[in-house]
Amino acid sequence: MPPISVRPAFASSVRALTHNATPRVSQLTPRVSQAISRRFKSGPYGYTQAKALVYSQNGEPSDVLSLHTHSISPSLPSNALLLRSLAAPINPADINQIQGVYPSRPPFTALLGTAVPSAIAGNEACFEVMRVGSGVKDFAPGDWAIARAPCLGTWRTHVEAQEDSLLRVEKEGLTPVQVGTVGVNPTTAYRMLKDFEHVGEGEWFIQNGANSGVGRAAIQLGRLWGMKSINIIRERGTEEETEAMRNELRGLGATHVVTEGELMARGFSEQVKEWTVGGRQKVKLGLNCVGGKPTSAMVKCLSDGGHLVTYGGMAKAPLQVPTAALIFKDVKFSGFWVSRWSEKNLDEKRRTVGEILELTRAGMFADVPVQKVQWDWDTKEETLKEAVTGTLQGFRKGKGVFVFGDT
Amino acid sequence: MPPISVRPAFASSVRALTHNATPRVSQLTPRVSQAISRRFKSGPYGYTQAKALVYSQNGEPSDVLSLHTHSISPSLPSNALLLRSLAAPINPADINQIQGVYPSRPPFTALLGTAVPSAIAGNEACFEVMRVGSGVKDFAPGDWAIARAPCLGTWRTHVEAQEDSLLRVEKEGLTPVQVGTVGVNPTTAYRMLKDFEHVGEGEWFIQNGANSGVGRAAIQLGRLWGMKSINIIRERGTEEETEAMRNELRGLGATHVVTEGELMARGFSEQVKEWTVGGRQKVKLGLNCVGGKPTSAMVKCLSDGGHLVTYGGMAKAPLQVPTAALIFKDVKFSGFWVSRWSEKNLDEKRRTVGEILELTRAGMFADVPVQKVQWDWDTKEETLKEAVTGTLQGFRKGKGVFVFGDT
């Protein structure tokens, strides 16, 4: 075996070799060697040098996050794997978790050798397996994996994890960013469209936050399943930008794209009636990540017996539910939390992720726009923290994703 | 056959005779004859003289209701029945219907010979069959019946109705008021406890408006099914009255009775935790007829995965649903409307009503307190309208129920 610290960069750079081959450093091209030297530090006695964004107390990410350097022992417990991160997104929930306002929280431990017990930030990533313990059955070096459940801590270069905390992913034809972002947003969209009301072919759903990761996934999956969609976006800075966004979402398969202003204007429900052939086509499902008054307006567009599923609350205002909508229109209100769903439905999560990635491979499911943030060995703590703060302020060009080394 | 107009008073007064017997007027006791003369006018040629509370436009009951006298022909269509009313409650929904703020509305017709097309008020009653058309299969004279669905118009002395608009009820051991009030409130309580979440033995539900007809039915049915209950009432005029109400509801089987003020006070959720053995016993279901802030406080008492079912909105304020309750606590919000349910689930309604009446017969299900309003032939329009207005203002001693003649 070559030194552990060489392996990962190799695996993603020299795809022609199988992951079971054991190349020597001398086999690597100069570009790869350089990439390795940018990213990895090989410690003494085969230890892997690693870095992680950690916090020892809850607060604003800019105040509490710090970049911690540590070593990972070469001796693995039998059911454990050593993984390196290829891509790890910055989701809003990750930030809420750091702030301490999110119900699922990673443990604060001294396992990474921090001065005080700390938690590792991040919940989603695409990993590559570097080494496996003697009792590991389903993974081999070179395989790709995602976290089964939240709180694994993914904003770090390397993870030593138990086999049962991971799901293996077929990597052929996929990029680390595609795999690293499939488990939260597209999975949320998939389950919300499937698990609450049966929206048949030619029937409708309505959603807000339509340009978000979940929204784009819902547009595409809904279109593949024969659903029509009414998609609400906030007004952009200029009319041209709003029009560009409309076109972008129509390109993904949105039937109609309207602004929040248009939704709230008088007569919108008549517009919906017209689109749905006088109400004969039902609007069975609403997907809500906003809350407050704009969501009440959206509820009015649902057909009798419709179902509003809430998965976010960007407006930070509670939902106003009129009694009459509950009793006489029989509208139902539920929430969806992909973390809870994932923990309870492991096999179904495996199947869902597999199906979405199959569509991605087939070119039928477009990537969400991302803003890559390079994380190399020498990358400064401030750069990484700024990426987190940037997500907090809403990256203009897409979701922030840490990409590691040369991936 | 004796004159039609004699039959009904007989049937409910002289129980020893079977309903198939055809007594002569001379068989009746003086008291019964007197009752008949108080109530009925026999028109010429066998016509039945009848009265009905009707309205030709929506508005406040005191403004728009009028007492209309008309005749019913002795010749019945083959699938029709002639019924006389024994008891008809005044439900809040009946009043909302007159006001025009209720989604299900009776037709405005000229069938009763009103000067302008009119609707007949009332939705629930216990009827007695007087005569049946030649094609009627499931009813015989003397049988009792309730309406299958709303909008039959029940605030009237007599009804000519199609067989398929009625449900036959076994009258043995029951009073007209028990039968005339079973189809809305107890049925609502029964279905809400059964159809939304499985509340197992030793598990809890919480409800507001606990002293209402639905609330009392839920307490009793829940207790019979092994459920525990937290029951919220509004503060009464005096502490003694509040205490008396607590004792009354505890007597029906309420586990705990609390006032709205106690519910809204700090620390109430700790109290609930104590009652539920540190939360190990789940509070799975909430029944809501209030809305607004007190209902938000009630939602906080639900366990994760709990379900709030709304069947009324006495506070006339929308429900505030915090995003976190939907996503992280997985609380679901639905409505229940017994009218819609009844129209869609006829067999189940027959079974539900039958089961509740069986419990009533067995002395296991107590009547809701009522304030009887006698409706005789000579009763003045003003008296009847005042009863409706009284319900609007909230009768202090129980639900208003029209009782006809000597029933």
Side-chain angles (χ1 to χ4, degrees), chain A residues 15-283:
Chain A
R15 286 180 194 273
L17 298 173
T18 75
H19 62 245
N20 287 319
T22 51
R24 295 167 189 281
V25 174
S26 60
Q27 284 182 289
L28 303 175
T29 63
R31 195 180 78 71
V32 173
S33 301
Q34 197 182 7
I36 294 168
S37 70
R38 271 217 324 270
R39 297 186 57 223
F40 292 97
K41 294 282 184 193
S42 188
Y45 313 114
Y47 274 74
T48 302
Q49 296 298 95
K51 290 190 181 184
L53 276 175
V54 301
Y55 53 103
S56 60
Q57 57 184 17
N58 292 119
E60 286 309 310
S62 55
D63 298 334
V64 301
L65 280 182
S66 67
L67 187 60
H68 172 69
T69 303
H70 64 109
S71 313
I72 297 175
S73 156
S75 67
L76 273 178
S78 76
N79 292 321
L81 299 85
L82 180 64
L83 310 153
R84 77 175 185 106
S85 305
L86 302 182
I90 305 165
N91 287 314
D94 302 329
I95 294 169
N96 295 150
Q97 203 175 51
I98 296 165
Q99 292 166 328
V101 296
Y102 201 70
S104 83
R105 300 184 187 195
F108 284 68
T109 74
L111 284 177
L112 296 194
T114 46
V116 287
S118 296
I120 304 152
N123 292 276
E124 196 182 13
C126 174
F127 301 114
E128 186 184 56
V129 179
M130 295 172 69
R131 274 202 301 150
V132 299
S134 57
V136 167
K137 288 174 193 154
D138 286 342
F139 292 85
D143 283 353
W144 284 7
I146 63 173
R148 275 194 184 185
C151 297
L152 186 62
T154 59
W155 295 357
R156 48 174 161 170
T157 60
H158 299 79
V159 185
E160 187 186 298
Q162 292 297 110
E163 182 175 16
D164 65 5
S165 65
L166 300 167
L167 277 185
R168 194 159 58 78
V169 169
E170 285 300 329
K171 67 185 178 188
E172 291 312 313
L174 299 174
T175 69
V177 170
Q178 288 169 336
V179 172
T181 57
V182 74
V184 172
N185 290 338
T187 300
T188 296
Y190 186 113
R191 299 320 323 177
M192 292 197 300
L193 289 178
K194 285 278 191 187
D195 294 347
F196 292 86
E197 289 296 323
H198 176 73
V199 183
E201 282 209 19
E203 292 186 318
W204 295 75
F205 70 92
I206 184 168
Q207 66 168 342
N208 53 31
N211 59 316
S212 69
V214 173
R216 287 160 185 265
I219 290 170
Q220 296 181 79
L221 292 171
R223 183 187 54 103
L224 284 167
W225 296 333
M227 302 172 188
K228 296 178 185 171
S229 60
I230 299 166
N231 297 277
I232 300 149
I233 56 172
R234 294 199 202 172
E235 279 79 5
R236 310 280 109 185
T238 67
E239 263 186 44
E240 287 68 31
E241 285 173 309
T242 302
E243 207 46 39
M245 179 63 77
R246 283 189 214 260
N247 286 330
E248 194 179 335
L249 298 185
R250 283 192 202 113
L252 291 175
T255 317
H256 298 291
V257 184
V258 298
T259 64
E260 206 168 87
E262 289 163 354
L263 166 76
M264 309 276 283
R266 265 175 170 280
F268 185 68
S269 51
E270 275 70 53
Q271 173 65 83
V272 170
K273 212 163 183 176
E274 198 186 310
W275 287 338
T276 56
V277 198
R280 284 200 293 282
Q281 296 172 349
K282 298 293 170 204
V283 185

Side-chain angles (χ1 to χ4, degrees), chain A residues 102-103 310-313 317-323 326-337 340, chain B residues 102-103 310-313 317-323 326-337 340:
Chain A
Y102 201 70
T310 292
Y311 66 97
L319 212 56
Q320 300 260 0
V321 180
T323 301
L326 286 162
I327 303 179
F328 303 129
K329 276 194 73 177
D330 196 21
V331 176
K332 296 164 194 77
F333 296 81
S334 302
F336 182 80
W337 188 21
R340 183 181 49 238
Chain B
Y102 201 70
T310 292
Y311 65 98
L319 211 57
Q320 299 261 359
V321 179
T323 302
L326 287 162
I327 303 179
F328 303 129
K329 275 194 74 178
D330 196 22
V331 176
K332 296 163 195 72
F333 296 81
S334 301
F336 183 79
W337 188 21
R340 183 181 49 235

